[in-house]
């Protein structure tokens, strides 16, 4: 149902619109105000069509961008180069339709041969769909940082997950 490909600059407005929905309405991201596409340009430019930092989009039959997923630098210091942080956002009308699964399948395949050892993901909780998706892709819970984000006048916890790039055969489903 979905095709997944590398994002291009022409996708940036659609990706920004998807992200802004979650910025404005949810605590899934801890950004507090929506962005223009121009403001998201440096984030876009941090991803490439080779190497460990990828940005993929899922499109429907009509070619509309229904979601995106990325692997990004996790922390700045160079010994962290072999760790990436995964992230995925589907358009609200694509939730529960396999969009996240299609994106993560292609994303992890795209970095299969890169110099990456560990993939991490931070999930502000509650977010059962995200936790389910990450566990399906072999992520295991590491622990929870409590009250690390304040949004909508409340504090929120973030559950962290990790997986090796290469899963043991039995860990994958
Ligand atoms: C999280 C997200 C990417 C998952 O993608 P999706 O296309 O909705 O999920 P899929 O249809 O591919 O299904 C993946 C799993 O999530 C489960 N799921 C989907 N919606 C769910 C919900 N509302 N509650 C619980 N589980 C849910 C599916 O049952 C499936 O679980 P399984 O693997 O155990 O069968 C998507 O829901 C989304 O974009 N959510 C908003 C943004 C977000 O939370 N991003 C992650 C930030 S950490």
């Amino acid at each position: 149902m979905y095709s997944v490909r590398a994002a291009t600059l022409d996708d940036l407005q659609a990706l920004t619109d998807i992200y802004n929905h979650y910025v404005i309405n949810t605590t899934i991201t801890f950004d507090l105000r929506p962005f223009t596409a121009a403001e998201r340009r440096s984030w876009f430019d941090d991803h490439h069509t080779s190497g460990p930092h990828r940005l993929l989009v899922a499109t429907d039959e009509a070619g509309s961008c229904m979601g995106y997923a990325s692997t990004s630098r996790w922390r700045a210091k160079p010994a962290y180069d072999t760790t990436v942080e995964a992230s995925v956002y589907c358009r609200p009308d694509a939730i529960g339709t396999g969009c996240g699964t299609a994106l993560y399948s292609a994303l992890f395949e795209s970095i299969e041969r890169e110099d990456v050892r560990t993939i991490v993901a931070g999930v502000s909780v509650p977010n059962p769909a995200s936790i389910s998706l990450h566990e399906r892709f072999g992520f295991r819970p590491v622990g929870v940082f409590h009250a690390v984000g304040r949004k909508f006048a409340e504090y929120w916890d973030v559950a962290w997950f990790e997986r090796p790039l290469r899963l043991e055969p039995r860990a994958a489903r």
Side-chain angles (χ1 to χ4, degrees), residues 164 166-172:
R166 286 175 198 86
L167 293 173
E168 295 300 317
R170 249 189 312 161

Side-chain angles (χ1 to χ4, degrees), residues 9 12 36-46:
L9 207 45
L12 185 54
T36 63
E39 288 171 324
R40 291 288 279 172
R41 179 65 192 264
S42 64
W43 163 81
F44 179 90
D45 287 342
D46 284 340

Side-chain angles (χ1 to χ4, degrees), residues 4 9 14 19 21 32 48 52 60 71 79-80 99 110-111 119 123 130 134 144 146 148 153-154 157 165:
V4 180
L9 207 45
Y19 187 62
H21 168 82
L32 298 176
H48 307 281
D60 65 7
T71 48
Y80 287 118
C99 185
S110 76
I111 60 167
I119 311 171
V123 180
S130 180
H134 285 92
V144 175
H146 295 104
V148 286
E154 278 182 62
D157 300 345
L165 175 63

Side-chain angles (χ1 to χ4, degrees), residues 9-24 33-41 43-44 55 57 65 68 89:
L9 207 45
D10 287 342
D11 299 312
L12 185 54
Q13 185 62 57
L15 304 195
T16 305
D17 291 343
I18 292 171
Y19 187 62
N20 282 342
H21 168 82
Y22 295 105
V23 173
I24 294 164
R33 63 155 186 92
F35 293 90
T36 63
E39 288 171 324
R40 291 288 279 172
R41 179 65 192 264
W43 163 81
F44 179 90
L55 177 59
V57 299
C65 179
Y68 68 91
Y89 288 89

Side-chain angles (χ1 to χ4, degrees), residues 22 28 88-90 95-101 122 127 129-130 132-133 136:
Y22 295 105
I28 287 169
V88 55
Y89 288 89
C90 299
I95 283 179
T97 63
C99 185
T101 298
N127 189 341
S130 180
S132 172
L133 180 76
R136 170 204 267 261

Side-chain angles (χ1 to χ4, degrees), residues 1-2 16 28 35 56 77 84 108 113 131 159:
M1 179 187 181
Y2 294 105
T16 305
I28 287 169
F35 293 90
L56 304 184
K77 290 177 183 168
V84 295
F108 301 140
R113 288 183 181 75
I131 289 176

